[in-house]
Amino acid sequence: MGSFTNRGGGTFADVENNAAAPFQPLNPQDVRAYLLKAVDFISDYYSNVESMPVLPNVKPGYLRDELMASSPTYSAPFDVTMKELRASVVPGMTHWASPNFFAFFPATNSAAAIAGDLIASAMNTVGFTWQAAPAATEMELLALDWLAQLLCLPATFAGTGGGGGGGGGVILGTTSEAMLVTLVTARDSALRRSGSVGVSGLHLLTVYASDQTHSTFFKACRIAGFDPTRIRSIPTGPETNYALDPAKLLQAMNADARSGLVPTYVCATVGTTSSNAVDPLGPVAEVAAKYSAWVHVDAAYAGSACICPEFRHHLDGVELVDSISVSPHKWLLTCLDCTCLYVRRAHRLSHSMETKPEYLSNDATDSGHATDLKDMQLGVGRRFRGLKLWMVMRTYGTAKIQEHIRSDVAMAEIFERLVRADNCFEVVVPRNFALVCFRIRARGAMTEEEADEANRVLMNNLNNTGKAYIAHTVVGHRFVLRFAVGSSLQEEKHVRSAWELIKKTTSEMFMYGEREHQKFQKHGT
């Protein structure tokens, strides 16, 4: 019989041949062949990503127009799938892996992490209880212990990993989850403490964070059921380098308590998104303790730097807080998703999160010696996230991971010096870690509002070149450009090249503006 292409991408000959053989989605030969091609793709991607535009030139909905509008009925060779991936998907990607990516915070990766994630995906374990995945549970607890040791976290955060401190840890997907589970735990504790019947007193609970806290906190508060009018955003300013002021926090908590409200939760941050501000953990925790409020530390990005002794002081006072989360997928060479949450009193978290259906009962759980990580998270099912984190730490060792952190900070210092040496620009807040907040300076007759617009145009023009990608924020009511160093492929040459591009783009902007001004002066239009 001849071979004719069908609308699904395969051939009628395929259908005839496949009818004789059962479908085997894990056929060992296919597994090897497909994965070898995927590995080649990944290797080629990292070899070539530097030359790709960081931001794609595509419009919303483009992919539906390029690929089939409906799922194909019949099979196609895997090579066809890979061809479409290269032709349609890759050109539409924002390349976070590019060494020319300086936006937001980095999403680091490494060969060890990719290998760990690949193996974990292949095993596809669903580790809700210890019995369901003994090695996965043990590996997660071991990796958490290793990271806690590198961060010099106090023994009070140990427990599930065998430290016996009454605390414990769990690897979640993102910081958002860490905030949400701790908010729910703090909510339940405050309701019990205040004698509330069920959730009748929920409207009295108040939560606190600085105005620099990540927006996910306010989203998590709404999901956890807190009244939006009870969410306090404490204003910050240049006098504290935009860190949370404990005096203002105390003032807000005192005012709420006098009004009959119940201060419940404080979110402190080590490395805020806008400016990398570091809240003073000890003083904040001392204020919160006056009302038995839960203190959570969001150290998603900058916490990783604290594995280096010279940055560890940013966690001073952590022994007084109730929980802390660090995201190795940001700066510790471990691909998404991987957020490590540590709590000082694990039983409070599990009290709010646990579920005990009969179909999950087993001897290991009943013995009291096993940890069921489902009871420290929102859902029940969970991925084998601990493997990739362990593989990163085991493969590279502390010294090389510290070298990676220090190299990024050194490159950020270089960029900061370049900005400070140019009178056209200014550094808006002192650099912390590997983020530089800078902007075109308002000079001469230029107003701050005009400078804001100039910086916005600079960012857009720069990003439209495809040669670099930076993001912005607003600090002290000023439009500020954020230059975040840390992509796994970045070297000093990329930082210097980005700076030259910034200067060139700025010069072209002002030259164009001057020409337009002269044209207006000459013709009046």
Side-chain angles (χ1 to χ4, degrees):
M1 178 178 177
S3 177
F4 300 94
T5 301
N6 65 63
R7 295 184 65 185
T11 66
F12 290 113
D14 292 335
V15 179
E16 184 177 78
N17 293 334
N18 288 342
F23 175 44
Q24 295 180 307
L26 284 177
N27 178 290
Q29 292 179 337
D30 287 345
V31 169
R32 180 177 294 276
Y34 292 6
L35 291 186
L36 286 174
K37 291 176 180 179
V39 168
D40 284 342
F41 168 85
I42 293 168
S43 180
D44 291 344
Y45 175 75
Y46 280 113
S47 296
N48 298 312
V49 68
E50 180 177 356
S51 63
M52 300 177 188
V54 189
L55 277 177
N57 183 24
V58 294
K59 302 296 182 183
Y62 91 97
L63 197 59
R64 184 177 293 273
D65 294 333
E66 292 201 12
L67 301 180
M68 289 182 289
S70 58
S71 175
T73 302
Y74 302 112
S75 60
F78 186 68
D79 286 345
V80 171
T81 305
M82 294 300 293
K83 180 180 179 181
E84 292 181 354
L85 169 65
R86 290 186 175 91
S88 298
V89 178
V90 173
M93 295 295 293
T94 295
H95 296 292
W96 286 65
S98 171
N100 301 310
F101 183 99
F102 300 97
F104 311 114
F105 282 127
T108 57
N109 211 344
S110 63
I114 295 170
D117 216 31
L118 176 62
I119 293 169
S121 295
M123 291 182 173
N124 204 29
T125 182
V126 187
F128 35 75
T129 63
W130 183 94
Q131 187 182 63
T137 301
E138 300 281 341
M139 175 63 76
E140 182 162 330
L141 300 179
L142 179 63
L144 285 163
D145 275 357
W146 282 13
L147 182 56
Q149 292 164 20
L150 295 186
L151 294 170
C152 297
L153 293 185
T156 48
F157 285 99
T160 52
V170 62
I171 301 181
L172 304 173
T174 64
T175 303
S176 306
E177 292 177 59
M179 287 181 176
L180 183 53
V181 298
T182 53
L183 275 164
V184 170
T185 301
R187 177 199 69 190
D188 293 351
S189 296
L191 289 173
R192 289 194 299 270
R193 194 169 61 246
S194 61
S196 173
V197 178
V199 295
S200 61
L202 182 57
H203 67 290
L204 299 175
L205 307 188
T206 54
V207 297
Y208 308 83
S210 86
D211 59 3
Q212 299 298 302
T213 302
H214 197 284
S215 61
T216 193
F217 168 72
F218 303 97
K219 178 178 180 178
C221 288
R222 294 196 302 272
I223 296 173
F226 288 93
D227 186 331
T229 65
R230 303 290 189 247
I231 302 173
R232 309 291 185 236
S233 180
I234 310 296
T236 61
E239 67 280 359
T240 61
N241 288 328
Y242 299 95
L244 177 61
D245 184 345
K248 291 182 180 178
L249 174 64
L250 178 60
Q251 183 180 25
M253 297 180 89
N254 284 342
D256 285 335
R258 286 195 298 268
S259 300
L261 302 178
V262 182
T264 298
Y265 184 101
V266 180
C267 182
T269 306
V270 174
T272 59
T273 299
S274 285
S275 65
N276 250 343
V278 177
D279 295 337
L281 304 188
V284 166
E286 289 170 356
V287 169
K290 297 179 184 298
Y291 294 101
S292 300
W294 183 290
V295 179
H296 175 70
V297 177
D298 170 13
Y301 161 71
S304 293
C306 296
I307 69 169
C308 300
E310 63 268 32
F311 299 118
R312 176 57 179 75
H313 67 277
H314 292 296
L315 293 183
D316 286 354
V318 71
E319 68 278 1
L320 302 176
V321 310
D322 296 281
S323 57
I324 178 172
S325 58
V326 179
S327 297
H329 62 236
K330 287 188 180 293
W331 206 6
L332 217 57
L333 301 175
T334 306
C335 51
L336 276 166
D337 50 8
C338 184
T339 291
C340 299
L341 171 66
Y342 298 91
V343 292
R344 189 149 52 96
R345 292 181 290 273
H347 72 277
R348 295 176 66 183
L349 186 64
S350 60
H351 187 276
S352 293
M353 296 292 124
E354 69 181 0
T355 177
K356 294 184 177 180
E358 178 58 33
Y359 53 80
L360 291 185
S361 64
N362 60 83
D363 291 342
T365 297
D366 294 342
S367 73
H369 298 303
T371 298
D372 290 343
L373 292 172
K374 68 177 178 59
D375 295 333
M376 299 182 72
Q377 63 173 30
L378 291 172
V380 176
R382 56 195 335 275
R383 299 180 62 229
F384 189 0
R385 296 187 181 99
L387 182 60
K388 60 188 174 186
L389 179 58
W390 174 81
M391 289 186 73
V392 167
M393 291 190 287
R394 182 66 186 90
T395 301
Y396 301 126
T398 304
K400 284 191 175 180
I401 300 174
Q402 289 174 334
E403 177 186 336
H404 151 71
I405 295 287
R406 288 167 176 148
S407 173
D408 289 344
V409 173
M411 287 189 285
E413 289 174 342
I414 289 171
F415 185 83
E416 180 186 31
R417 289 197 296 271
L418 292 170
V419 173
R420 291 189 183 279
D422 192 316
N423 289 331
C424 185
F425 296 91
E426 63 179 329
V427 174
V428 179
V429 294
R431 178 197 50 77
N432 265 338
F433 309 107
L435 173 70
V436 180
C437 294
F438 74 107
R439 73 196 302 261
I440 295 173
R441 186 194 305 271
R443 295 184 302 160
M446 181 185 289
T447 65
E448 289 293 343
E449 290 74 17
E450 290 171 335
D452 284 345
E453 182 58 24
N455 282 285
R456 189 184 300 274
V457 172
L458 169 59
M459 180 184 71
N460 291 335
N461 289 354
L462 182 77
N463 292 342
N464 286 338
T465 68
K467 297 177 181 179
Y469 180 29
I470 62 175
H472 79 282
T473 189
V474 174
V475 176
H477 307 292
R478 292 185 294 175
F479 188 94
V480 175
L481 304 176
R482 297 171 70 263
F483 191 88
V485 177
S487 171
S488 300
L489 294 173
Q490 264 166 12
E491 300 174 15
E492 183 179 328
K493 65 180 181 180
H494 300 110
V495 172
R496 292 187 179 277
S497 177
W499 172 244
E500 291 303 319
L501 181 62
I502 289 168
K503 290 199 302 180
K504 178 176 181 290
T505 306
T506 303
S507 177
E508 290 172 349
M509 281 169 45
F510 284 118
M511 287 176 60
Y512 175 80
E514 181 61 27
R515 287 198 302 269
E516 291 300 298
H517 177 71
Q518 292 175 357
K519 187 185 301 183
F520 176 83
Q521 293 286 79
K522 181 177 181 179
H523 300 290
T525 58

